[in-house]
Amino acid sequence: MGLSRITLENFRNHAATTLGETAHFNLLVGENGAGKTNLIEALSLLGPGRGLRRANLGELGRRTAPDAAPLAFAIGASLTEAGAVTARLGTYSEPGQSGRRLVRINGAPASAARLAEWLALTWLTPAMDGLFTDSAGARRRFIDRMALAIAPDHAREVSAFETALRERARLLESGGDPRWLEALEHRAAAHGAALARTRAELVQRLADELSALPSEPFARPLLTYRPGGPMEEGALAEALARGRARDRAAGRALTGPQRDELEVRMAGSGQLAAACSTGEQKAMLIAITLAHSALAAAGRPSVLLLDEVAAHLDPRRRAALLSRLAAGSAQVWMTGTELAPFAAIRDEAAVWQVSAGSAAPL
């Protein structure tokens, strides 16, 4: 299962690009700046959220000149199973509304959240290399994106929780009706408890997947979910009510899943990932990505997007990675500046040469 008949119109530097015959392995090869990452970013937008670059929608449409307004863009792809098309997914903007992303599933309008019901996406990019030294918020976003693999409506729970917290903060500041404040706290607690449960389940399932992996050639990470408050709805509502004075003074809620943390340590040494070497951090990040891809592949088409990953691995780890990917059920998309790192899978892969916003099969 995977994607085929992929089309891009006016997306980034791609005026009109089509990727037709796809395979289990799909390679995008070309010079830096040719538009390889733009192609896999387009695929990442066939799921909820802002894609692998977390870009504003106004940045996505192609510009005919540096100071020109972005054109309306469109991305489409077919879901296939055993060579048969099972669905058509699309996302696009409309002229003059570059800040609004629209979605169609089988030709009918749909919410972006519904895309997760059809397709599970996992990705790894060089920009993620600093995850373990980044903020706790970055790791929460990392968890929430992965959580869509086991709970397609998770994004709605996160959005509803954040909205309730913002409204509560405004009401605390203005000294509004206590009854409305209580209602907001119960609403926040309902959504907060739901998203916290999903995060905890995801981390546990990832930990189970990782526990079965050998520590070589990729460093095996140990994952721990540390909740930022009670995970039961009633207890969370009570904690929010008790913390009103403190939260009013702080200007934000100090208890709840908005303060959750993902702790990552390296198996064997027990050292925090943030204190490990750059190579060890990369190896652990790859291990987590592969574990998530294995989870995501259960029950839905699954696509794994790997940007410039092979070139940064030594031959032993590269061979191990390609072997793992070959054994998995997720369709794999990889980018690189040359074909040499992919020699082991070249004959079974679909390959495109990407150049100046176009792609031609090799």
Side-chain angles (χ1 to χ4, degrees):
M1 297 188 289
L3 297 173
S4 66
R5 292 172 50 194
I6 299 157
T7 58
L8 279 68
E9 294 181 10
N10 293 321
F11 182 81
R12 297 284 192 182
N13 69 332
H14 291 267
T17 295
T18 299
L19 305 177
E21 295 292 330
T22 59
H24 179 76
F25 282 111
N26 300 274
L27 308 179
L28 302 170
V29 181
E31 297 179 352
N32 293 329
K36 306 183 300 295
T37 303
N38 292 344
L39 282 169
I40 63 169
E41 180 187 23
L43 300 184
S44 75
L45 288 167
L46 294 173
R50 293 165 56 185
L52 57 79
R53 280 187 172 124
R54 291 185 53 79
N56 294 322
L57 290 178
E59 302 173 28
L60 303 181
R62 188 172 66 91
R63 297 175 187 266
T64 55
D67 57 348
L71 298 172
F73 71 87
I75 304 161
S78 295
L79 285 178
T80 61
E81 182 176 2
V85 175
T86 58
R88 183 74 182 172
L89 308 180
T91 185
Y92 61 100
S93 63
E94 292 184 332
Q97 300 185 46
S98 60
R100 183 180 179 214
R101 180 160 83 101
L102 303 172
V103 169
R104 285 186 177 270
I105 300 175
N106 291 328
S111 69
R114 285 208 58 212
L115 290 168
E117 300 172 10
W118 292 86
L119 178 66
L121 288 161
T122 304
W123 60 75
L124 181 60
T125 72
M128 294 166 60
D129 287 353
L131 178 71
F132 302 129
T133 56
D134 206 336
S135 66
R139 287 183 288 279
R140 284 192 294 272
R141 289 191 295 271
F142 180 65
I143 295 173
D144 288 336
R145 174 172 59 79
M146 292 192 296
L148 295 173
I150 63 171
D153 62 347
H154 181 71
R156 285 193 288 263
E157 296 287 0
V158 173
S159 178
F161 172 71
E162 291 175 346
T163 298
L165 277 195
R166 285 194 299 271
E167 293 178 2
R168 174 181 179 266
R170 285 195 292 268
L171 202 60
L172 281 173
E173 185 179 1
S174 64
D177 187 340
R179 291 172 299 179
W180 180 235
L181 187 59
E182 182 179 1
L184 282 173
E185 287 167 347
H186 280 280
R187 188 199 308 171
H191 295 296
L195 75 88
R197 286 193 300 270
T198 299
R199 286 173 177 172
E201 179 187 353
L202 169 75
V203 172
Q204 183 58 58
R205 290 177 65 175
L206 285 173
D208 292 342
E209 286 281 341
L210 289 164
S211 68
L213 295 179
S215 58
E216 287 291 334
F218 298 111
R220 182 161 58 88
L222 302 174
L223 308 184
T224 303
Y225 171 68
R226 301 209 178 279
M231 294 177 60
E232 191 274 327
E233 180 179 340
L236 180 54
E238 291 176 4
L240 288 170
R242 289 195 305 271
R244 288 175 187 174
R246 183 185 63 171
D247 293 351
R248 184 186 298 113
R252 64 187 188 281
L254 299 177
T255 299
Q258 78 284 359
R259 297 179 66 84
D260 288 353
E261 174 62 287
L262 172 66
E263 182 184 276
V264 182
R265 294 179 179 271
M266 189 166 68
S269 69
Q271 189 171 33
L272 281 170
C276 292
S277 71
T278 301
E280 289 169 333
Q281 290 181 18
K282 184 75 171 185
M284 285 189 281
L285 195 52
I286 290 174
I288 293 172
T289 300
L290 294 176
H292 179 253
S293 181
L295 285 181
R300 281 172 294 162
S302 177
V303 172
L304 178 57
L305 310 173
L306 300 174
D307 193 17
E308 298 287 354
V309 67
H312 300 288
L313 297 175
D314 60 52
R316 183 172 68 97
R317 286 193 171 95
R318 187 186 307 140
L321 173 63
L322 294 176
S323 177
R324 284 281 307 279
L325 295 175
S329 59
Q331 185 185 55
V332 181
W333 292 78
M334 293 189 284
T335 68
T337 56
E338 57 183 357
L339 273 173
F342 307 111
I345 58 166
R346 171 64 180 91
D347 292 342
E348 60 187 286
V351 184
W352 289 269
Q353 180 73 45
V354 183
S355 176
S358 64
L362 285 179

